[in-house]
Amino acid sequence: MNAIVALCHFCELHGPRTLFCTEVLHSPLPQGAGSGDVSGQNEQAEEEEGGIQMSSRIRSHSPAEGASADSSSPGPKKSDMCEASGCRSLAGGHPGYVSHDKETSIKYVSHQHPNHPQLFSIVRQACVRSLSCEVCPGREGPIFFGDEQHGFVFSHTFFIKDSLARGFQRWYSIITIMMDRIYLINSWPFLLGKIRGIIDELQGKALKVFEAEQFGCPQRAQRMNTAFTPFLHQRNGNAARSLTSLTNDENLWACLHTSFAWLLKACGSRLTEKLLEGAPTEDTLVQMEKLADLKEESEGWDGSEEEEKPSSQPDAVEGQELSKSSPETSLLPDCNSWNVAHRRLSVFRSLRHMRQVLGASAFRMLAWHVLMGNQVIWKARDMDLVQSAFDVLRTMLPIGCVRIIPYSDQYEEAYRCNFLGLSPHVQIPAHILSSEFAVLVEVRAATRSSLYPTLFDDEQSLNKYEFVVTSGSPVAADRVGPTILNKIEAALTNQNLSVDVVDQCLVCLKEEWMNKVKVLFKFTKVDSRPKEDTQKLLSILGAAEEDNVKLLKFWMTGLSKTYKSHLMSTVRSPTSSESRN
């Protein structure tokens, strides 16, 4: 977690002071930072707390990380420090502490003040606010404050017993500073529990020392018997004692370093970022509805078969008959199994591949008919070729607009399917061949083997095929066409875009135009606005051209039932409430 944890103290002589802070270093340590250990302090301790192991050691002084009291340090001057170490945690020249996280190669460094001037200023300001103006009722407890410029702070103030202090207690706080407000707020319960545990341990140790000192020399009675002295003279003669003296723990700062380092590690590990998908797309809703309908239909067939089945008929025969007699299973658009089952046999691998094979003008004519909702007919002997062509072309349409009959021995009407695969001997009605609402792709044997050179290293090359695209309404080369078609062609011709990127472009384009379809459906079908208002809306949507209007009307048939019913219910509810009134 990119944060700083600090222990602060309110000194009666100098005001709020930072005693000890731990920060996270992601970059390598400066050269020579750990080259030599201080004499008598070169031991290494393996510390484990909360299931996380870190190796901690006292390192030699480094200007970048160790605590320093020289003129270049951003810390307070020596004249501003208490003589009895009340404002100081580590002695002058103490190198500080560092822990190496073996899992992430992150280092947790502890010293009295951050050496970076900007961090020092942020910690200093948070320290002052936590022990002056930003306090909770009772002056002891957690509070949250901060801003975007100086960071956000979780602060927990508390008192430590001191028999020599005014009021027999001194004021401290533990603060956690970071720039991510949401992350810090979400970590509130975790930080509150762990920091409260650290505070309880400090207060428990200090209470034992306080009770022992009071038992040996009660300060309350001694003060009452002492003659009155001016307040300033009393303050100057009663400098704050160090926290190690108040708790009688010489290893206090090493223990705090371990606790603060573990706190930063554990708090950063408990919350992880996850990619959250937004509301389901129309394709997802339509897929879910089709799966639910298919499941309901299969359950219905199960019930009818059980009623008509003789008692002596085995279960296995029932399953076989069910699979044979399921009606119109080919009319349901296959979502994922098509790619898996025929990936190795597919001839057309992508829209870009198909455009290169058919040619730019033939592909534009075919894509125009696909987007307009006209019937696309493929005649070929190779069933895998036809299936792969449909698998590629369907990516231009919303799932709700796709109705496929992959291969048939007879012509099927357009209301049953907009993608139809036929064997070469099937006769197509003359009015379909001359219709402007249909396009025919005939796959013939090429007259020369080099007519279509192999463009990709497919297992089944296309150099043996000749593709003839015809329609009763050919698309003129100078026709503008729908806006989405022009954008699709621009993506396909851009060689800097990979096939995967083009697929994502198609997803974005379909969602963009499905949003326009939703607005138009709400405007025309639900609100029943007049034609003039509809034309104004189409102009605002950038879809006032004839081809764009046809595309929107066709794509409107692909809206999910869930979305339509939701719109109808939201429109009817105000009307029903008014009728009740």
Side-chain angles (χ1 to χ4, degrees):
M1 183 174 71
N2 291 324
I4 296 178
V5 181
L7 173 67
C8 307
H9 164 55
F10 187 89
C11 178
E12 294 183 0
L13 297 179
H14 307 109
R17 284 290 183 267
T18 304
L19 288 181
F20 193 76
C21 68
T22 302
E23 57 182 314
V24 180
L25 292 183
H26 295 272
S27 58
L29 294 174
Q31 293 182 358
S35 57
D37 291 347
V38 180
S39 175
Q41 296 180 340
N42 58 352
E43 55 181 334
Q44 293 188 1
E46 293 294 330
E47 301 167 346
E48 181 176 356
E49 183 173 349
I52 299 176
Q53 283 190 343
M54 290 175 286
S55 61
S56 302
R57 64 180 177 182
I58 301 176
R59 301 186 300 102
S60 62
H61 170 68
S62 168
E65 293 176 22
S68 126
D70 56 11
S71 59
S72 63
S73 173
K77 299 178 181 179
K78 289 184 178 181
S79 59
D80 295 334
M81 307 290 282
C82 293
E83 296 179 1
S85 302
C87 296
R88 183 185 298 112
S89 57
L90 305 178
H94 192 287
Y97 302 92
V98 60
S99 290
H100 302 263
D101 186 353
K102 299 176 181 179
E103 296 178 358
T104 59
S105 300
I106 294 176
K107 298 174 179 62
Y108 300 88
V109 181
S110 295
H111 31 62
Q112 182 157 352
H113 307 98
N115 280 80
H116 193 283
Q118 185 177 2
L119 290 180
F120 174 83
S121 175
I122 291 175
V123 174
R124 171 64 180 165
Q125 185 182 55
C127 169
V128 172
R129 293 180 65 179
S130 70
L131 293 172
S132 57
C133 57
E134 304 288 355
V135 293
C136 62
R139 301 182 67 192
E140 191 172 21
I143 195 170
F144 178 88
F145 60 89
D147 53 60
E148 296 287 346
Q149 182 178 0
H150 301 96
F152 298 93
V153 183
F154 171 88
S155 171
H156 197 303
T157 52
F158 60 99
F159 292 104
I160 291 290
K161 285 292 184 179
D162 182 3
S163 60
L164 300 181
R166 185 177 56 163
F168 300 105
Q169 60 185 10
R170 299 196 182 275
W171 203 18
Y172 291 84
S173 70
I174 295 179
I175 58 177
T176 303
I177 313 167
M178 67 184 309
M179 303 304 296
D180 193 335
R181 178 176 61 90
I182 301 299
Y183 197 102
L184 188 58
I185 292 176
N186 289 334
S187 302
W188 175 289
F190 175 82
L191 291 173
L192 179 60
K194 302 306 177 183
I195 291 179
R196 187 67 250 179
I198 297 174
I199 293 173
D200 290 341
E201 187 175 356
L202 292 176
Q203 289 178 333
K205 293 180 179 180
L207 182 60
K208 292 179 180 179
V209 175
F210 174 79
E211 291 176 347
E213 291 177 349
Q214 288 292 86
F215 180 78
C217 182
Q219 291 292 316
R220 188 178 299 274
Q222 182 179 355
R223 293 183 185 184
M224 294 179 65
N225 296 328
T226 303
F228 173 77
T229 55
F231 177 69
L232 287 177
H233 173 74
Q234 185 179 4
R235 290 185 61 190
N236 291 333
N238 186 23
R241 293 192 292 174
S242 66
L243 192 58
T244 55
S245 174
L246 294 177
T247 58
N248 193 25
D249 186 357
E250 296 297 329
N251 297 321
L252 175 68
W253 304 119
C255 294
L256 278 181
H257 164 75
T258 304
S259 299
F260 287 175
W262 179 88
L263 187 68
L264 291 171
K265 166 70 177 180
C267 192
S269 301
R270 60 179 292 273
L271 292 179
T272 57
E273 294 182 353
K274 292 184 178 179
L275 178 62
L276 297 179
E277 297 182 0
T281 62
E282 281 299 303
D283 283 357
T284 304
L285 291 176
V286 172
Q287 264 185 324
M288 295 169 60
E289 291 173 356
K290 289 184 179 295
L291 291 175
D293 293 342
L294 185 60
K295 182 179 180 181
E296 182 179 353
E297 182 180 349
S298 63
E299 291 176 353
W301 276 86
D302 287 339
S304 62
E305 287 290 338
E306 289 178 359
E307 292 177 359
E308 300 175 1
K309 178 184 64 173
S311 58
S312 61
Q313 185 177 5
D315 293 340
V317 177
E318 177 194 358
Q320 294 174 4
E321 292 297 323
L322 174 62
S323 62
K324 292 179 181 178
S325 59
S326 297
E328 300 182 5
T329 55
S330 60
L331 295 181
L332 294 174
D334 200 356
C335 304
N336 296 319
S337 60
W338 198 267
N339 291 333
V340 176
H342 298 281
R343 187 176 300 277
R344 298 183 60 131
L345 299 177
S346 295
V347 175
F348 291 108
R349 295 169 29 174
S350 63
L351 284 174
R352 178 177 288 169
H353 182 198
M354 180 178 287
R355 187 175 185 273
Q356 290 175 334
V357 171
L358 299 182
S361 59
F363 175 81
R364 180 176 176 84
M365 179 192 299
L366 180 61
W368 183 87
H369 283 279
V370 170
L371 293 172
M372 293 294 106
N374 298 335
Q375 191 175 40
V376 179
I377 306 172
W378 280 67
K379 293 183 67 174
R381 295 183 181 276
D382 191 343
M383 186 184 302
D384 296 328
L385 173 65
V386 177
Q387 291 173 342
S388 66
F390 290 162
D391 191 38
V392 168
L393 291 173
R394 65 186 295 176
T395 59
M396 292 190 292
L397 292 177
I399 291 180
C401 296
V402 177
R403 302 183 308 280
I404 297 179
I405 297 181
Y407 209 73
S408 176
D409 291 332
Q410 62 180 6
Y411 173 75
E412 300 289 349
E413 295 293 339
Y415 72 89
R416 290 175 58 85
C417 60
N418 56 339
F419 291 98
L420 175 62
L422 298 176
S423 59
H425 66 274
V426 176
Q427 295 294 325
I428 301 176
H431 70 277
I432 299 298
L433 294 175
S434 59
S435 173
E436 61 179 344
F437 302 109
V439 60
L440 173 64
V441 181
E442 293 184 87
V443 183
R444 305 171 183 172
T447 56
R448 293 176 300 178
S449 60
S450 60
L451 183 60
Y452 289 98
T454 303
L455 300 174
F456 293 87
D457 295 331
D458 291 325
E459 296 178 4
Q460 185 178 1
S461 61
L462 296 175
N463 57 2
K464 59 182 178 181
Y465 294 124
E466 180 181 358
F467 300 91
V468 180
V469 183
T470 58
S471 174
S473 176
V475 180
D478 56 347
R479 186 168 181 172
V480 177
T483 305
I484 189 173
L485 175 59
N486 299 327
K487 291 184 177 181
I488 290 175
E489 285 196 312
L492 296 177
T493 54
N494 189 348
Q495 297 300 323
N496 294 326
L497 303 181
S498 65
V499 175
D500 293 335
V501 175
V502 173
D503 291 341
Q504 294 303 314
C505 289
L506 283 174
V507 173
C508 296
L509 288 173
K510 286 192 293 184
E511 279 301 300
E512 175 188 353
W513 281 83
M514 282 304 290
N515 289 333
K516 297 180 181 182
V517 169
K518 292 177 181 179
V519 175
L520 183 62
F521 177 82
K522 173 71 166 57
F523 202 79
T524 58
K525 304 298 183 182
V526 180
D527 296 343
S528 301
R529 297 294 185 93
K531 187 176 181 180
E532 294 77 10
D533 292 345
T534 304
Q535 288 298 327
K536 294 179 181 178
L537 175 66
L538 291 173
S539 300
I540 295 174
L541 296 176
E545 295 79 7
E546 180 183 358
D547 284 348
N548 287 329
V549 175
K550 289 181 179 179
L551 182 142
L552 292 176
K553 291 181 178 180
F554 168 56
W555 283 28
M556 200 179 293
T557 62
L559 287 174
S560 62
K561 298 176 185 177
T562 304
Y563 177 77
K564 293 179 181 179
S565 61
H566 171 71
L567 277 185
M568 294 299 181
S569 61
T570 54
V571 170
R572 288 169 183 166
S573 55
T575 307
S576 59
S577 61
E578 290 176 4
S579 61
R580 294 192 195 99
N581 297 332

